[in-house]
């Protein structure tokens, strides 16, 4: 008689253990899905950040080419540099806008005049629906990178 009594007391424990295991597996699966989603977002940010950095580098290169034209004489002021640079119509530049700035410091030292230019290139690359309004959507990805270059003319 004691055998039958023991079976009846343990008959529901397998159900409780099964529900516990299913719950734990569900929580682990949900956490893994979230980690994979975050990793995907980080890869997108890394790619767009690299695109913005290279676009800013290209803007600085274009400004340097305006200051120091090939086969021409070097500029003595910032008037040769525009405030923005329009990138070529290439897939790597799509969604990117580049603004360029120039600052000139002129120094007279021992009878020599030195012109030091500080060029800044700021690239903003965006994808999705970035309307700029207060009610922004979650479909917007915007990355900003800035490059500063210094050049001197003796």
């Amino acid at each position: 008689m004691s055998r039958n009594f023991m079976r009846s007391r343990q008959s529901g424990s397998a159900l409780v253990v099964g529900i516990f295991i299913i719950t734990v597996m569900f929580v682990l699966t949900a956490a893994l899905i979230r980690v994979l989603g975050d990793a995907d977002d980080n890869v997108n940010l890394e790619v767009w950040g690299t695109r913005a950095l290279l676009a800013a580098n290209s803007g600085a290169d274009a400004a340097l080419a305006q200051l120091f034209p090939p086969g021409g004489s070097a500029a003595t002021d910032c008037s040769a540099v525009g405030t923005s640079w329009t990138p070529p119509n290439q897939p790597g530049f799509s969604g990117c806008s580049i603004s360029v700035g120039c600052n000139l410091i002129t120094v007279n030292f021992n009878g020599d005049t030195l012109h030091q230019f500080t060029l800044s290139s700021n690239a903003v690359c965006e994808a999705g629906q970035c309307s700029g309004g207060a009610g922004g959507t979650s479909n917007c990805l915007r990355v900003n990178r800035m490059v500063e270059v210094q050049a001197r003319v003796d």
Side-chain angles (χ1 to χ4, degrees):
M1 208 177 225
S2 67
R3 262 185 160 170
N4 289 337
F5 178 71
M6 289 295 272
R7 280 189 186 164
S8 66
R9 281 187 61 198
Q10 296 180 356
S11 63
S13 65
L15 179 63
V16 172
V17 169
I19 290 174
F20 177 75
I21 289 174
I22 288 172
T23 304
V24 168
M25 294 301 287
F26 175 74
V27 168
L28 288 175
T29 303
L32 182 62
I33 288 171
R34 179 69 182 159
V35 166
L36 291 175
D38 288 345
D40 188 36
D41 290 344
N42 288 336
V43 167
N44 283 337
L45 281 174
E46 185 72 26
V47 168
W48 280 89
T50 302
R51 287 180 67 193
L53 177 64
L54 295 176
N57 279 337
S58 296
D61 289 343
L64 281 170
Q66 292 170 348
L67 280 177
F68 305 103
S73 61
T76 57
D77 62 3
C78 285
S79 64
V81 179
T83 58
S84 66
W85 177 67
T86 304
N89 189 14
Q90 297 293 323
F93 290 111
S94 66
C96 295
S97 61
I98 298 107
S99 60
V100 180
C102 180
N103 187 23
L104 172 64
I105 298 174
T106 304
V107 177
N108 292 321
F109 182 72
N110 290 338
D112 292 332
T113 302
L114 302 174
H115 302 285
Q116 180 164 335
F117 296 95
T118 301
L119 300 170
S120 61
S121 175
N122 187 16
V124 177
C125 296
E126 57 186 34
Q129 299 172 351
C130 300
S131 61
T137 65
S138 62
N139 293 332
C140 175
L141 175 67
R142 183 179 294 135
V143 180
N144 181 23
R145 295 292 185 268
M146 183 176 182
V147 173
E148 191 171 274
V149 178
Q150 292 183 343
R152 187 176 72 201
V153 178
D154 295 334

